[in-house]
Amino acid sequence: DQQVKQNSPSLSVQEGRISILNCDYTNSMFDYFLWYKKYPAEGPTFLISISSIKDKNEDGRFTVFLNKSAKHLSLHIVPSQPGDSAVYFCAASSSYNTDKLIFGTGTRLQVFP
Amino acid sequence: DTAVSQTPKYLVTQMGNDKSIKCEQNLGHDTMYWYKQDSKKFLKIMFSYNNKELIINETVPNRFSPKSPDKAHLNLHINSLELGDSAVYFCASSQGVFRSGGYLSYNEQFFGPGTRLTVL
């Protein structure tokens, strides 16, 4: 039972444009969401997070939007840069099991010049 | 300085062997984790330890045994390796959860570079 889903396995965007990566979840107990970025042969690195008390969190070029009623979150990267090319994982956690992150299967983003 | 390190980076072994993967973090974190990323790219938690105590133990065969000699180290020992154990194993650490303004805030998990295990 996959509780966190990233339905787009890949995304290709031109440099300078906006990249939008989507994530859906099924467990209404999730109240904290994170995005991780992963380069080949490296471990995932934390990018940005959002608590369920908010619907938006912004950090530089990265913004995460949370729609609790739709159980959907998205990561916006603007402007996209070639260095953003990586696999992006969405993850979720709940306050009754704080240490347990549930990851999606990732979306491979390619930013081309 | 590497924050979370794992050794070895690659491990190729025969079915039935016993092997260990070591993990060390120099971030002063209290909590450490082991994750498995299988061929379908699912990244799933296996174990977590907080101050050397087991907190999470997912449905993992008991051939897998984590050992935490101190809070900076969490090693993974695997007995009687099987073909299905082939995967990338990631270690991670975090400072855990804290309360801020009445709300829970989570400290992110920092991941090691992974160990690619291939069982032949």
Side-chain angles (χ1 to χ4, degrees):
Chain A
D1 179 29
Q2 198 179 334
Q3 300 182 69
V4 178
K5 299 178 185 179
Q6 294 175 256
N7 292 319
S8 298
S10 63
L11 176 67
S12 190
V13 172
Q14 189 173 31
E15 181 178 6
R17 302 277 186 145
I18 185 171
S19 296
I20 300 177
L21 297 99
N22 293 304
C23 178
D24 297 292
Y25 61 97
T26 57
N27 190 339
S28 57
M29 298 299 290
F30 288 148
D31 55 11
Y32 197 75
F33 305 89
L34 307 90
W35 284 94
Y36 278 82
K37 174 180 177 180
K38 184 182 181 303
Y39 292 117
E42 295 183 12
T45 56
F46 171 74
L47 197 55
I48 192 169
S49 62
I50 188 166
S51 165
S52 60
I53 61 172
K54 297 183 177 181
D55 54 18
K56 177 183 174 182
N57 189 26
E58 195 171 349
D59 184 2
R61 297 185 297 114
F62 302 92
T63 303
V64 55
F65 295 92
L66 175 62
N67 182 335
K68 289 188 289 294
S69 61
K71 293 192 180 70
H72 176 84
L73 64 154
S74 60
L75 174 68
H76 292 211
I77 307 173
V78 55
S80 302
Q81 299 173 355
D84 296 329
S85 298
V87 177
Y88 289 78
F89 289 95
C90 167
S93 182
S94 70
S95 52
Y96 71 86
N97 199 348
T98 55
D99 280 323
K100 187 173 175 180
L101 283 183
I102 308 296
F103 281 85
T105 50
T107 296
R108 181 176 300 277
L109 172 67
Q110 183 163 8
V111 181
F112 59 93
Chain B
D1 278 347
T2 304
V4 182
S5 59
Q6 295 177 230
T7 53
K9 191 166 178 65
Y10 299 97
L11 184 53
V12 181
T13 188
Q14 298 285 333
M15 244 182 0
N17 284 349
D18 303 340
K19 290 294 179 186
S20 292
I21 307 172
K22 295 185 176 181
C23 178
E24 176 181 2
Q25 55 97 1
N26 61 7
L27 298 166
H29 289 162
D30 291 331
T31 307
M32 296 185 71
Y33 312 80
W34 276 108
Y35 285 84
K36 178 181 179 180
Q37 186 179 34
D38 60 22
S39 58
K40 294 183 179 178
K41 306 302 181 187
F42 279 106
L43 191 62
K44 294 184 72 172
I45 190 165
M46 301 172 68
F47 303 100
S48 81
Y49 269 72
N50 180 271
N51 279 318
K52 303 196 297 175
E53 288 190 29
L54 182 65
I55 303 297
I56 293 175
N57 184 351
E58 289 296 291
T59 309
V60 176
N62 58 13
R63 298 181 295 103
F64 290 78
S65 53
K67 286 185 170 49
S68 182
D70 55 62
K71 74 173 194 177
H73 296 84
L74 181 62
N75 303 323
L76 184 65
H77 189 76
I78 316 170
N79 289 328
S80 303
L81 278 155
E82 300 177 358
L83 293 176
D85 298 332
S86 295
V88 182
Y89 292 84
F90 290 99
C91 177
S93 74
S94 79
Q95 197 50 41
V97 175
F98 62 96
R99 285 198 176 273
S100 174
Y103 296 101
L104 280 175
S105 291
Y106 298 71
N107 285 302
E108 67 270 20
Q109 295 181 17
F110 290 80
F111 283 78
T115 296
R116 182 175 293 277
L117 171 65
T118 303
V119 181
L120 303 174

